[in-house]
Amino acid sequence: TATAGNVTGISFAGSAPTSGTHSVANNTLNTLSSTSTTGTVAGIASSGSGVNISGHAIYGLSCNGSTSGVTNGIMVTGGTNVGVFKNKIYDLTTSGAFTTTPGVNGIVLSGSSTSVTANVFNNLIGDLKAPAANSTDAIRGISVTATGTSSNYNISYNTVSLSASSTGANFGTSGLFHAASTTATTATLTLRNN
């Protein structure tokens, strides 16, 4: 538990290997927390290229987040050729009365890297909570906020179950969020069989 700042279970920022891919696999990440009102808690944070993030159990993550804090199961902020698959992400909580969007993400794909190909498949996401949130999009199962040109986000065969509630007046959730662009090759989304 951190009393200030950010908490991350695994952070990966490597360059693409000469051949093959980096593998961050089969770990259990639980009971990570921050009492900071602005801190970010993440099970896995990756900005590296040529990486597969797979087979993890990520649960019991929480932050206060009453100002702008956020709890993320898996956070991909850059890199090219990224795979996120066969992960089980659950019991994530941001407990503060935040108004920002969002406060909890099962998986978030963000950043402005160009020529990204991200394949996100066969993940199980559920039990995401924001019990005091006053935000119209407080929780996102899978969030694609990336803005990179010539990038492709392929999201398929994932299961997202949301049944959260909040004491906040303006509470809402999204199973999947995608920041659309008027440019066809900017963060192109292929979404099927979720």
PDB file of all heavy atoms in Angstrom, residues 154-174:
ATOM      1  N   ASN A 154      -7.261  -4.805 -32.380  1.00  0.00           N
ATOM      2  CA  ASN A 154      -8.095  -5.968 -32.662  1.00  0.00           C
ATOM      3  C   ASN A 154      -8.550  -6.555 -31.337  1.00  0.00           C
ATOM      4  O   ASN A 154      -7.739  -7.088 -30.572  1.00  0.00           O
ATOM      5  CB  ASN A 154      -7.297  -6.995 -33.466  1.00  0.00           C
ATOM      6  CG  ASN A 154      -6.722  -6.383 -34.733  1.00  0.00           C
ATOM      7  OD1 ASN A 154      -7.435  -5.770 -35.507  1.00  0.00           O
ATOM      8  ND2 ASN A 154      -5.419  -6.535 -34.926  1.00  0.00           N
ATOM      9  N   ILE A 155      -9.841  -6.450 -31.075  1.00  0.00           N
ATOM     10  CA  ILE A 155     -10.387  -6.858 -29.780  1.00  0.00           C
ATOM     11  C   ILE A 155     -11.452  -7.914 -30.027  1.00  0.00           C
ATOM     12  O   ILE A 155     -12.489  -7.634 -30.644  1.00  0.00           O
ATOM     13  CB  ILE A 155     -10.951  -5.639 -29.026  1.00  0.00           C
ATOM     14  CG1 ILE A 155      -9.813  -4.636 -28.794  1.00  0.00           C
ATOM     15  CG2 ILE A 155     -11.592  -6.057 -27.718  1.00  0.00           C
ATOM     16  CD1 ILE A 155     -10.209  -3.340 -28.178  1.00  0.00           C
ATOM     17  N   SER A 156     -11.179  -9.137 -29.556  1.00  0.00           N
ATOM     18  CA  SER A 156     -12.108 -10.231 -29.840  1.00  0.00           C
ATOM     19  C   SER A 156     -12.102 -11.293 -28.743  1.00  0.00           C
ATOM     20  O   SER A 156     -11.122 -11.477 -28.043  1.00  0.00           O
ATOM     21  CB  SER A 156     -11.757 -10.871 -31.192  1.00  0.00           C
ATOM     22  OG  SER A 156     -10.411 -11.279 -31.213  1.00  0.00           O
ATOM     23  N   TYR A 157     -13.250 -11.960 -28.626  1.00  0.00           N
ATOM     24  CA  TYR A 157     -13.442 -13.085 -27.715  1.00  0.00           C
ATOM     25  C   TYR A 157     -13.140 -12.751 -26.252  1.00  0.00           C
ATOM     26  O   TYR A 157     -12.636 -13.588 -25.507  1.00  0.00           O
ATOM     27  CB  TYR A 157     -12.621 -14.303 -28.168  1.00  0.00           C
ATOM     28  CG  TYR A 157     -13.019 -14.781 -29.540  1.00  0.00           C
ATOM     29  CD1 TYR A 157     -12.235 -14.483 -30.647  1.00  0.00           C
ATOM     30  CD2 TYR A 157     -14.190 -15.506 -29.729  1.00  0.00           C
ATOM     31  CE1 TYR A 157     -12.601 -14.898 -31.919  1.00  0.00           C
ATOM     32  CE2 TYR A 157     -14.564 -15.924 -30.991  1.00  0.00           C
ATOM     33  CZ  TYR A 157     -13.767 -15.627 -32.076  1.00  0.00           C
ATOM     34  OH  TYR A 157     -14.137 -16.042 -33.324  1.00  0.00           O
ATOM     35  N   ASN A 158     -13.438 -11.534 -25.831  1.00  0.00           N
ATOM     36  CA  ASN A 158     -13.280 -11.144 -24.431  1.00  0.00           C
ATOM     37  C   ASN A 158     -14.634 -11.205 -23.739  1.00  0.00           C
ATOM     38  O   ASN A 158     -15.673 -10.992 -24.366  1.00  0.00           O
ATOM     39  CB  ASN A 158     -12.737  -9.708 -24.331  1.00  0.00           C
ATOM     40  CG  ASN A 158     -11.367  -9.594 -24.954  1.00  0.00           C
ATOM     41  OD1 ASN A 158     -10.391 -10.051 -24.411  1.00  0.00           O
ATOM     42  ND2 ASN A 158     -11.307  -8.993 -26.148  1.00  0.00           N
ATOM     43  N   THR A 159     -14.627 -11.483 -22.451  1.00  0.00           N
ATOM     44  CA  THR A 159     -15.844 -11.472 -21.648  1.00  0.00           C
ATOM     45  C   THR A 159     -15.723 -10.361 -20.614  1.00  0.00           C
ATOM     46  O   THR A 159     -14.770 -10.344 -19.837  1.00  0.00           O
ATOM     47  CB  THR A 159     -16.054 -12.827 -20.931  1.00  0.00           C
ATOM     48  OG1 THR A 159     -16.155 -13.851 -21.926  1.00  0.00           O
ATOM     49  CG2 THR A 159     -17.311 -12.806 -20.084  1.00  0.00           C
ATOM     50  N   VAL A 160     -16.677  -9.426 -20.643  1.00  0.00           N
ATOM     51  CA  VAL A 160     -16.718  -8.324 -19.688  1.00  0.00           C
ATOM     52  C   VAL A 160     -18.072  -8.358 -18.995  1.00  0.00           C
ATOM     53  O   VAL A 160     -19.116  -8.335 -19.650  1.00  0.00           O
ATOM     54  CB  VAL A 160     -16.527  -6.956 -20.386  1.00  0.00           C
ATOM     55  CG1 VAL A 160     -16.651  -5.819 -19.388  1.00  0.00           C
ATOM     56  CG2 VAL A 160     -15.178  -6.894 -21.103  1.00  0.00           C
ATOM     57  N   SER A 161     -18.056  -8.416 -17.670  1.00  0.00           N
ATOM     58  CA  SER A 161     -19.290  -8.413 -16.889  1.00  0.00           C
ATOM     59  C   SER A 161     -19.262  -7.223 -15.938  1.00  0.00           C
ATOM     60  O   SER A 161     -18.399  -7.137 -15.067  1.00  0.00           O
ATOM     61  CB  SER A 161     -19.407  -9.723 -16.093  1.00  0.00           C
ATOM     62  OG  SER A 161     -20.546  -9.679 -15.263  1.00  0.00           O
ATOM     63  N   LEU A 162     -20.212  -6.291 -16.135  1.00  0.00           N
ATOM     64  CA  LEU A 162     -20.296  -5.101 -15.287  1.00  0.00           C
ATOM     65  C   LEU A 162     -21.643  -5.089 -14.573  1.00  0.00           C
ATOM     66  O   LEU A 162     -22.689  -5.168 -15.223  1.00  0.00           O
ATOM     67  CB  LEU A 162     -20.150  -3.828 -16.119  1.00  0.00           C
ATOM     68  CG  LEU A 162     -18.855  -3.665 -16.906  1.00  0.00           C
ATOM     69  CD1 LEU A 162     -18.884  -2.372 -17.717  1.00  0.00           C
ATOM     70  CD2 LEU A 162     -17.651  -3.670 -15.982  1.00  0.00           C
ATOM     71  N   SER A 163     -21.608  -4.967 -13.261  1.00  0.00           N
ATOM     72  CA  SER A 163     -22.851  -4.853 -12.494  1.00  0.00           C
ATOM     73  C   SER A 163     -22.658  -3.907 -11.315  1.00  0.00           C
ATOM     74  O   SER A 163     -23.249  -4.062 -10.268  1.00  0.00           O
ATOM     75  CB  SER A 163     -23.307  -6.232 -12.000  1.00  0.00           C
ATOM     76  OG  SER A 163     -22.317  -6.789 -11.145  1.00  0.00           O
ATOM     77  N   ALA A 164     -21.812  -2.910 -11.499  1.00  0.00           N
ATOM     78  CA  ALA A 164     -21.459  -1.976 -10.428  1.00  0.00           C
ATOM     79  C   ALA A 164     -22.591  -0.996 -10.154  1.00  0.00           C
ATOM     80  O   ALA A 164     -23.440  -0.734 -11.000  1.00  0.00           O
ATOM     81  CB  ALA A 164     -20.197  -1.217 -10.798  1.00  0.00           C
ATOM     82  N   SER A 165     -22.569  -0.434  -8.962  1.00  0.00           N
ATOM     83  CA  SER A 165     -23.491   0.633  -8.592  1.00  0.00           C
ATOM     84  C   SER A 165     -22.714   1.676  -7.803  1.00  0.00           C
ATOM     85  O   SER A 165     -21.594   1.427  -7.350  1.00  0.00           O
ATOM     86  CB  SER A 165     -24.650   0.085  -7.760  1.00  0.00           C
ATOM     87  OG  SER A 165     -24.165  -0.475  -6.562  1.00  0.00           O
ATOM     88  N   SER A 166     -23.315   2.850  -7.637  1.00  0.00           N
ATOM     89  CA  SER A 166     -22.647   3.938  -6.948  1.00  0.00           C
ATOM     90  C   SER A 166     -23.663   4.811  -6.241  1.00  0.00           C
ATOM     91  O   SER A 166     -24.829   4.891  -6.653  1.00  0.00           O
ATOM     92  CB  SER A 166     -21.858   4.788  -7.954  1.00  0.00           C
ATOM     93  OG  SER A 166     -21.309   5.932  -7.335  1.00  0.00           O
ATOM     94  N   THR A 167     -23.213   5.485  -5.209  1.00  0.00           N
ATOM     95  CA  THR A 167     -24.057   6.466  -4.535  1.00  0.00           C
ATOM     96  C   THR A 167     -24.056   7.795  -5.290  1.00  0.00           C
ATOM     97  O   THR A 167     -24.838   8.684  -4.978  1.00  0.00           O
ATOM     98  CB  THR A 167     -23.575   6.705  -3.089  1.00  0.00           C
ATOM     99  OG1 THR A 167     -22.199   7.119  -3.126  1.00  0.00           O
ATOM    100  CG2 THR A 167     -23.692   5.435  -2.261  1.00  0.00           C
ATOM    101  N   GLY A 168     -23.192   7.951  -6.287  1.00  0.00           N
ATOM    102  CA  GLY A 168     -23.118   9.174  -7.080  1.00  0.00           C
ATOM    103  C   GLY A 168     -24.318   9.331  -7.989  1.00  0.00           C
ATOM    104  O   GLY A 168     -24.858   8.360  -8.518  1.00  0.00           O
ATOM    105  N   ALA A 169     -24.733  10.559  -8.202  1.00  0.00           N
ATOM    106  CA  ALA A 169     -25.922  10.851  -9.004  1.00  0.00           C
ATOM    107  C   ALA A 169     -25.714  10.595 -10.489  1.00  0.00           C
ATOM    108  O   ALA A 169     -26.640  10.218 -11.200  1.00  0.00           O
ATOM    109  CB  ALA A 169     -26.353  12.295  -8.786  1.00  0.00           C
ATOM    110  N   ASN A 170     -24.507  10.795 -10.993  1.00  0.00           N
ATOM    111  CA  ASN A 170     -24.235  10.673 -12.424  1.00  0.00           C
ATOM    112  C   ASN A 170     -23.346   9.481 -12.724  1.00  0.00           C
ATOM    113  O   ASN A 170     -22.280   9.614 -13.307  1.00  0.00           O
ATOM    114  CB  ASN A 170     -23.560  11.957 -12.932  1.00  0.00           C
ATOM    115  CG  ASN A 170     -24.447  13.152 -12.788  1.00  0.00           C
ATOM    116  OD1 ASN A 170     -25.599  13.101 -13.178  1.00  0.00           O
ATOM    117  ND2 ASN A 170     -23.929  14.221 -12.211  1.00  0.00           N
ATOM    118  N   PHE A 171     -23.778   8.291 -12.351  1.00  0.00           N
ATOM    119  CA  PHE A 171     -22.945   7.099 -12.474  1.00  0.00           C
ATOM    120  C   PHE A 171     -23.264   6.334 -13.752  1.00  0.00           C
ATOM    121  O   PHE A 171     -24.426   6.128 -14.105  1.00  0.00           O
ATOM    122  CB  PHE A 171     -23.160   6.182 -11.267  1.00  0.00           C
ATOM    123  CG  PHE A 171     -22.351   4.926 -11.310  1.00  0.00           C
ATOM    124  CD1 PHE A 171     -20.984   4.965 -11.092  1.00  0.00           C
ATOM    125  CD2 PHE A 171     -22.946   3.707 -11.576  1.00  0.00           C
ATOM    126  CE1 PHE A 171     -20.217   3.801 -11.126  1.00  0.00           C
ATOM    127  CE2 PHE A 171     -22.194   2.544 -11.610  1.00  0.00           C
ATOM    128  CZ  PHE A 171     -20.829   2.588 -11.386  1.00  0.00           C
ATOM    129  N   GLY A 172     -22.200   5.909 -14.473  1.00  0.00           N
ATOM    130  CA  GLY A 172     -22.382   5.092 -15.661  1.00  0.00           C
ATOM    131  C   GLY A 172     -21.162   4.223 -15.912  1.00  0.00           C
ATOM    132  O   GLY A 172     -20.083   4.459 -15.359  1.00  0.00           O
ATOM    133  N   THR A 173     -21.327   3.199 -16.754  1.00  0.00           N
ATOM    134  CA  THR A 173     -20.234   2.278 -17.075  1.00  0.00           C
ATOM    135  C   THR A 173     -20.247   1.971 -18.576  1.00  0.00           C
ATOM    136  O   THR A 173     -21.247   2.174 -19.251  1.00  0.00           O
ATOM    137  CB  THR A 173     -20.374   0.946 -16.310  1.00  0.00           C
ATOM    138  OG1 THR A 173     -21.572   0.280 -16.741  1.00  0.00           O
ATOM    139  CG2 THR A 173     -20.441   1.170 -14.808  1.00  0.00           C
ATOM    140  N   SER A 174     -19.119   1.454 -19.079  1.00  0.00           N
ATOM    141  CA  SER A 174     -19.016   1.005 -20.472  1.00  0.00           C
ATOM    142  C   SER A 174     -18.290  -0.337 -20.505  1.00  0.00           C
ATOM    143  O   SER A 174     -17.199  -0.464 -19.949  1.00  0.00           O
ATOM    144  CB  SER A 174     -18.205   2.001 -21.312  1.00  0.00           C
ATOM    145  OG  SER A 174     -18.828   3.251 -21.378  1.00  0.00           O
TER     146      SER A 174
END
